[in-house]
């Protein structure tokens, strides 16, 4: 549940070819999926050119009928065995030329600090090209930070909705939707239990109380082959692989390797573009007078890295920006950034 890789969305697409009966395939897949997903958690549709199956693996149920009217959540991943069985059934309907055209990779990280403070710390630091930070948005008192490449270089705010990384406080989001106070039948590992306050988990009953838990959720979205290509190449170990086929997922699941490799890809992306600075190494570096002055201003006005350079210029310290900005960040928001860095095991 905490720290495990989750696939929160999966779309399987197939080009409609002569002889493929879309209506029959839809009827077959509806029968398969409605056993394990509520109607709002999966779709099967088609056009003249494409047939698509989309579902949320984290909302998989052993039996929809047995869980009728019971609350469900997307904090846990379907087992590899159950996902393998499900994909084999889908493959039997769609055949060889079915490919993955949408995959969301997600983790929920349990932290000690405020979830919002940790997300804010990312928003105040720099990320690597091709990602850009986009304004923090609020939705029913839930705050999110989205990072994505620009779709056009000549436009300041032109987000790519098909490749993005989003951070938000997960418990806030759950409360805004359902006001859940606790979850039942939650079976945590000993490592997960050690991270929790004693009062928040009843091991004997499997009840997890959500009150006062700080959980940061980080979702990575990849839609269409051009954005999924990097995942395909890591999963196959070949730079020549372009399409992520349904048969590839089935083969990896059969070998028990899919979740491990997806976890590796997920961590690599965070390490390469978001958390590429390890600020632990400047813990013992002393601050000079100018840096101490800048830290006072940063703390007072809550500014971000984009404005650091102006501060350095204003006090005649511009030439030291590259060397000193990291020290300033460490002594202002470093503890929040560091906790996420550590909990994501980067």
């Amino acid at each position: 549940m905490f720290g495990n890789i989750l696939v929160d969305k999966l779309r399987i697409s197939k080009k409609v070819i002569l002889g493929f009966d879309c209506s029959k395939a839809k009827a077959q897949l509806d029968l398969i999926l409605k056993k394990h997903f509520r109607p709002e958690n999966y779709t099967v549709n088609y056009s003249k050119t494409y047939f698509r199956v989309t579902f949320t693996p984290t909302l998989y149920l052993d039996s929809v009928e047995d869980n009728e009217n019971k609350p469900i959540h997307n904090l846990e991943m379907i087992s590899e065995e159950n996902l393998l069985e499900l994909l084999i059934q889908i493959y039997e309907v769609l055949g060889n030329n079915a490919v993955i055209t949408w995959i969301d990779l997600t983790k929920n990280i349990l932290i000690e600090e405020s979830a919002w403070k940790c997300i804010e710390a990312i928003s105040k630091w720099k990320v690597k090209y091709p990602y850009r930070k986009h304004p923090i948005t609020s939705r029913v008192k839930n705050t999110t930070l989205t990072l994505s490449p620009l779709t056009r270089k000549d436009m300041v705010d032109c987000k790519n909705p098909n490749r993005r990384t989003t951070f938000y406080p997960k418990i806030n989001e759950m409360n805004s939707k359902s006001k859940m106070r606790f979850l039942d039948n939650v079976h945590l590992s000993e490592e997960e239990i050690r991270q929790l306050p004693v009062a928040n988990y009843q091991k004997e009953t499997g009840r997890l109380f959500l009150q006062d838990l700080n959980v940061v959720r980080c979702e990575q979205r990849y839609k269409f082959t051009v954005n999924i290509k990097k995942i395909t190449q890591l999963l196959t170990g070949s730079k020549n692989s372009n399409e992520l086929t349904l048969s590839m997922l089935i083969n990896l699941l059969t070998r028990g390797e899919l979740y491990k490799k997806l976890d590796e890809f997920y961590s690599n992306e965070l390490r390469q573009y978001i958390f590429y600075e390890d600020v632990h190494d400047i813990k013992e570096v002393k601050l000079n007078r100018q840096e101490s002055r800048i830290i006072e201003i940063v703390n007072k006005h809550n500014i971000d890295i984009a404005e650091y350079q102006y501060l350095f210029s204003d006090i005649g310290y511009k030439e030291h920006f590259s060397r000193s900005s990291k020290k300033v960040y460490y002594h202002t928001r470093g503890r929040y950034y560091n906790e996420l860095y550590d909990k994501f095991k980067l």
Side-chain angles (χ1 to χ4, degrees):
M1 177 174 285
F2 300 119
N4 298 324
I5 193 69
L6 312 175
V7 180
D8 201 42
K9 186 75 71 175
L10 194 64
R11 173 173 290 168
I12 305 166
S13 302
K14 173 187 176 73
K15 287 184 180 179
V16 175
I17 57 177
L18 186 65
F20 181 74
D21 189 334
C22 292
S23 179
K24 180 181 178 181
K26 175 174 167 54
Q28 291 174 314
L29 289 170
D30 278 329
L31 283 175
I32 293 168
L33 292 168
K34 72 179 184 181
K35 294 178 183 177
H36 302 292
F37 298 96
R38 292 177 177 173
E40 63 271 23
N41 298 326
Y42 83 91
T43 59
V44 181
N45 51 46
Y46 58 89
S47 64
K48 291 182 179 180
T49 54
Y50 274 97
F51 188 98
R52 298 180 179 88
V53 183
T54 308
F55 58 94
T56 305
T58 49
L59 294 176
Y60 173 93
L61 298 168
D62 289 330
S63 169
V64 169
E65 185 178 354
D66 292 344
N67 288 276
E68 188 174 357
N69 298 322
K70 294 180 181 179
I72 58 174
H73 58 83
N74 64 345
L75 294 174
E76 294 184 284
M77 186 57 184
I78 175 178
S79 70
E80 288 187 284
E81 293 78 12
N82 285 340
L83 182 58
L84 174 60
E85 182 180 349
L86 179 63
L87 293 187
I88 287 175
Q89 292 180 65
I90 295 174
Y91 178 85
E92 289 173 349
V93 177
L94 297 183
N96 275 326
N97 60 342
V99 299
I100 310 305
T101 55
W102 182 354
I103 183 168
D104 285 355
L105 302 178
T106 300
K107 279 189 180 183
N108 301 300
I109 303 298
L110 183 65
I111 58 176
E112 296 179 7
E113 299 284 0
S114 157
W116 159 238
K117 287 290 186 181
C118 288
I119 295 170
E120 184 187 41
I122 304 171
S123 76
K124 301 299 183 182
W125 193 231
K126 51 192 175 183
V127 293
K128 266 191 179 179
Y129 179 84
Y131 280 91
R132 296 287 186 275
K133 290 179 292 185
H134 299 287
I136 296 175
T137 59
S138 294
R139 182 186 62 201
V140 197
K141 297 183 179 179
N142 188 44
T143 306
T144 67
L145 170 64
T146 299
L147 308 162
S148 73
L150 302 182
T151 55
R152 292 180 57 184
K153 292 183 179 180
D154 58 340
M155 295 183 68
V156 175
D157 187 21
C158 190
K159 291 184 284 189
N160 179 358
N162 302 317
R163 180 184 170 188
R164 71 187 191 199
T165 298
T166 302
F167 293 86
Y168 61 90
K170 180 59 181 176
I171 302 302
N172 292 21
E173 186 251 1
M174 293 174 66
N175 288 338
S176 70
K177 290 181 177 179
S178 63
K179 306 296 182 184
M180 278 188 195
R181 292 193 310 109
F182 57 82
L183 302 175
D184 279 327
N185 299 315
V186 176
H187 304 290
L188 302 179
S189 67
E190 291 300 322
E191 181 181 351
E192 289 173 313
I193 294 173
R194 283 194 292 270
Q195 298 178 53
L196 286 166
V198 174
N200 279 77
Y201 185 61
Q202 297 174 352
K203 187 174 181 179
E204 298 77 14
T205 62
R207 175 165 289 186
L208 174 66
F209 292 93
L210 303 176
Q211 184 178 3
D212 300 324
L213 287 186
N214 292 311
V215 178
V216 171
R217 189 176 181 94
C218 175
E219 297 180 350
Q220 298 177 8
R221 170 161 295 177
Y222 304 93
K223 292 179 71 174
F224 307 115
T225 297
V226 65
N227 294 309
I228 297 175
K229 185 177 179 180
K230 289 181 66 177
I231 301 177
T232 307
Q233 292 175 348
L234 184 140
L235 292 179
T236 61
S238 171
K239 293 293 184 181
N240 297 319
S241 297
N242 292 316
E243 289 187 331
L244 180 56
T245 66
L246 177 55
S247 59
M248 287 179 183
L249 293 192
I250 290 173
N251 289 336
L252 287 164
L253 282 166
T254 302
R255 300 198 300 266
E257 297 177 0
L258 180 62
Y259 289 8
K260 180 181 179 181
K261 286 182 176 290
L262 289 177
D263 193 315
E264 180 184 350
F265 176 85
Y266 178 96
S267 297
N268 286 346
E269 288 290 289
L270 287 184
R271 190 181 300 111
Q272 183 175 357
Y273 297 111
I274 314 300
F275 296 97
Y276 68 95
E277 291 275 20
D278 180 356
V279 297
H280 290 80
D281 60 355
I282 56 170
K283 182 177 181 180
E284 304 301 329
V285 177
K286 292 183 179 180
L287 297 166
N288 59 36
R289 182 171 56 84
Q290 290 92 340
E291 291 162 349
S292 297
R293 183 181 173 189
I294 291 173
I295 286 172
E296 291 178 6
I297 300 172
V298 169
N299 284 330
K300 182 177 180 180
H301 298 286
N302 196 31
I303 64 176
D304 64 21
I305 186 64
E307 296 173 286
Y308 279 18
Q309 297 184 59
Y310 297 111
L311 287 177
F312 278 77
S313 296
D314 288 345
I315 67 170
Y317 204 59
K318 183 178 180 180
E319 66 273 19
H320 300 283
F321 171 76
S322 295
R323 180 174 59 84
S324 296
S325 60
K326 189 174 177 181
K327 293 164 65 178
V328 171
Y329 181 79
Y330 177 84
H331 287 279
T332 53
R333 300 182 180 92
R335 65 174 181 166
Y336 304 114
Y337 179 97
N338 279 350
E339 183 169 14
L340 288 183
Y341 187 99
D342 292 337
K343 289 297 177 68
F344 279 114
K345 299 179 179 179
L346 303 173

